[in-house]
Amino acid sequence: MSLPGIGPKMAHLISMEAFGIVTGIGVDTHVHRICNRLGWVKTKNPEQTRVALEKWLPKEYWRPINLLFVGFGQQLQTQAMKLFTKAIVSSKPREAVKLVKNLGANINAKDKQTSDTVLIWAIKQNKEIEKIKILLDFGASPLLKNNEKKTAKDYVEENSVLIQILSKKRKIDLVKEEQEKQEDEVEI
């Protein structure tokens, strides 16, 4: 079957949804990107990804993969903060944060309402020091400000118990980052 103006992805999706016939995998940019980041395929475009997936993925999974990965891909882009907060409170926070970050979510994304990053959220929620260290290990910036114009570093300094969070090396890194930022502002 061929329809003018309909590409492979839509043809496979129409076949599945309208007729209940699985003819192939509907691969869009989300499915393509996630499959490559997971290391399932090494391809340059969605059509190559579809062909590569169909070679090894059992046909019983062809239908759900599009729905699952498109939804997850959209969350990676628009709800990164939410994914990281779920990851950090999971039973295996280091592995969960690593997975979400490796799939392309921005660890410094801000909550739309509060402008909190996941690091500021974790500090405000009094999460265990180990969980906050995990966020720092994966690149969470303590210098990003929220609506209150406070950085994660400000919250840590306000709470003497949480000052333990930042190792001596991390404190040095913070000072360097602040100095570089101030130098950049002076140059502008």
Side-chain angles (χ1 to χ4, degrees):
M1 165 172 59
S2 91
L3 298 169
I6 302 293
K9 175 188 82 171
M10 286 308 298
H12 292 303
L13 292 174
I14 290 169
S15 174
M16 280 188 269
E17 297 306 318
F19 305 107
I21 302 169
V22 178
T23 57
I25 301 171
V27 176
D28 71 346
T29 56
H30 296 294
V31 177
H32 167 66
R33 188 178 303 122
I34 291 170
C35 288
N36 273 276
R37 286 188 175 155
L38 287 171
W40 290 3
V41 297
K42 300 265 186 267
T43 57
K44 295 183 184 210
N45 62 54
E47 184 57 18
Q48 289 176 356
T49 299
R50 179 189 66 78
V51 171
L53 282 174
E54 288 175 359
K55 286 181 181 176
W56 67 267
L57 187 68
K59 197 169 184 176
E60 66 194 74
Y61 298 112
W62 289 13
R63 184 181 185 124
I65 193 170
N66 177 274
L67 181 63
L68 292 172
F69 281 7
V70 168
F72 188 63
Q74 289 169 346
Q75 280 198 327
L76 284 171
Q77 290 178 334
T78 63
Q79 297 181 20
M81 164 70 176
K82 186 176 182 180
L83 290 172
F84 280 113
T85 57
K86 287 180 179 182
I88 203 65
V89 298
S90 72
S91 60
K92 294 189 176 187
R94 180 168 295 281
E95 293 84 352
V97 169
K98 181 179 180 181
L99 175 64
V100 173
K101 187 160 183 353
N102 286 347
L103 289 173
N106 177 1
I107 197 161
N108 292 310
K110 294 182 175 186
D111 181 88
K112 291 177 182 172
Q113 294 175 335
T114 65
S115 291
D116 286 351
T117 62
V118 68
L119 182 59
I120 290 173
W121 172 84
I123 292 169
K124 283 181 171 181
Q125 298 294 315
N126 293 315
K127 294 298 171 196
E128 300 93 38
I129 289 171
E130 187 55 39
K131 291 187 178 190
I132 294 170
K133 284 182 180 177
I134 290 169
L135 295 170
L136 291 169
D137 288 348
F138 283 100
S141 173
L143 299 176
L144 296 174
K145 294 183 178 179
N146 66 359
N147 284 341
E148 299 166 11
K149 306 292 185 221
K150 290 183 180 180
T151 64
K153 184 179 172 222
D154 295 331
Y155 287 105
V156 169
E157 288 174 349
E158 289 173 5
N159 187 334
S160 60
V161 174
L162 291 176
I163 199 73
Q164 302 168 42
I165 296 166
L166 301 172
S167 66
K168 187 174 183 180
K169 181 188 179 313
R170 191 65 185 154
K171 286 180 190 176
I172 292 168
D173 291 345
L174 286 173
V175 169
K176 284 181 184 176
E177 287 178 33
E178 262 182 12
Q179 287 172 344
E180 288 172 5
K181 185 178 176 189
Q182 288 173 354
E183 288 171 8
D184 289 343
E185 289 175 358
V186 171
E187 289 176 13
I188 294 173

